[in-house]
Amino acid sequence: MNETLQRLIDVLPPPLARPEPPPWDRAVEEIGFQFPSDYRAFVDRYGGGAINEELHVSCPTEFPYEPGVSPGFAGYLEAMDLGVGDAYRSMRDSFPEDYPYPIFPEPGGLLQWGVTGGGDDLFWLTDDEDPDRWPVVIWWRNLDPRWESFPGGTVEFLLAVAERRHEYTEHLLWGTTGMRWHLEGDWKVRYPYSS
């Protein structure tokens, strides 16, 4: 197991029962790329869900996120595009100086992997052929500057938040105390929401 993921597990306990992992070997065939390996390891151990019900991490699932969205890997992309893609493209067309990145599936575009309770969007910048080199990029809805390029991958970012080392941890988690993971779904199941 990756040392960074183990450190995250020490700070943010994963679900007791292992979630059903996606069949990652099908991703390239179905959508044309593979997800970053640290994200895959995270989803295999945690599933999709939220830290303190505030910082949500999406995962591919056979249970569609939205009505009319395909299941599986294609559905993950469709849901991300419905969630942020169209709105982002419209804002970028109107205010290109405020939205400097292309959006996936444009080459090198941002691909959303998470969102916060405050409406901040968590992306990968897909500008490298190797997904393990995709940096995390955050669009802050109510902070200045609006954009942050985090110098690390998904698990490094989540660890920085869980250890409260990230500059905006309190903004991300809205001042909640402790760290707990709320499982919301995995490849086979979409769990009912409960506090």
Side-chain angles (χ1 to χ4, degrees), residues 88-89 92 99-111 123-127 147:
Y88 183 91
R89 280 186 279 280
R92 188 170 187 231
Y99 297 89
Y101 300 100
I103 195 82
F104 193 86
E106 293 175 60
L110 296 173
L111 176 58
F123 299 100
W124 294 297
L125 182 60
T126 64
D127 65 349
W147 294 98

Side-chain angles (χ1 to χ4, degrees), residues 30-95:
E30 293 182 18
I31 58 174
F33 68 90
Q34 187 53 272
F35 290 83
S37 61
D38 71 325
Y39 168 79
R40 286 182 279 144
F42 176 86
V43 167
D44 287 353
R45 189 64 189 96
Y46 285 84
I51 298 175
N52 292 9
E53 299 178 18
E54 290 293 337
L55 193 160
H56 299 264
V57 178
S58 301
C59 76
T61 180
E62 286 189 325
F63 190 91
Y65 284 88
E66 304 283 342
V69 171
S70 304
F73 294 106
Y76 179 93
L77 294 182
E78 290 171 24
M80 296 307 107
D81 199 50
L82 283 173
V84 73
D86 290 338
Y88 183 91
R89 280 186 279 280
S90 175
M91 291 184 291
R92 188 170 187 231
D93 288 345
S94 299
F95 307 100

Side-chain angles (χ1 to χ4, degrees), residues 15 28 63 143-145 162 192:
V28 173
F63 190 91
L143 296 176
D144 189 29

Side-chain angles (χ1 to χ4, degrees), residues 96-185:
E97 66 282 356
D98 294 332
Y99 297 89
Y101 300 100
I103 195 82
F104 193 86
E106 293 175 60
L110 296 173
L111 176 58
Q112 187 181 37
W113 59 267
V115 66
T116 70
D120 309 300
D121 293 308
L122 309 170
F123 299 100
W124 294 297
L125 182 60
T126 64
D127 65 349
D128 194 297
E129 287 184 16
D130 181 355
D132 288 341
R133 292 197 299 252
W134 291 351
V136 169
V137 174
I138 304 106
W139 180 75
W140 302 109
R141 181 173 294 278
N142 297 307
L143 296 176
D144 189 29
R146 292 267 189 184
W147 294 98
E148 175 187 352
S149 181
F150 181 80
T154 311
V155 173
E156 289 171 297
F157 175 77
L158 295 173
L159 179 61
V161 171
E163 290 181 340
R164 299 190 178 273
R165 291 182 290 108
H166 189 276
E167 177 181 9
Y168 297 121
T169 296
E170 297 309 313
H171 173 80
L172 287 163
L173 300 180
W174 289 80
T176 58
T177 59
M179 285 293 149
R180 81 185 182 299
W181 178 252
H182 177 81
L183 181 62
E184 296 173 345

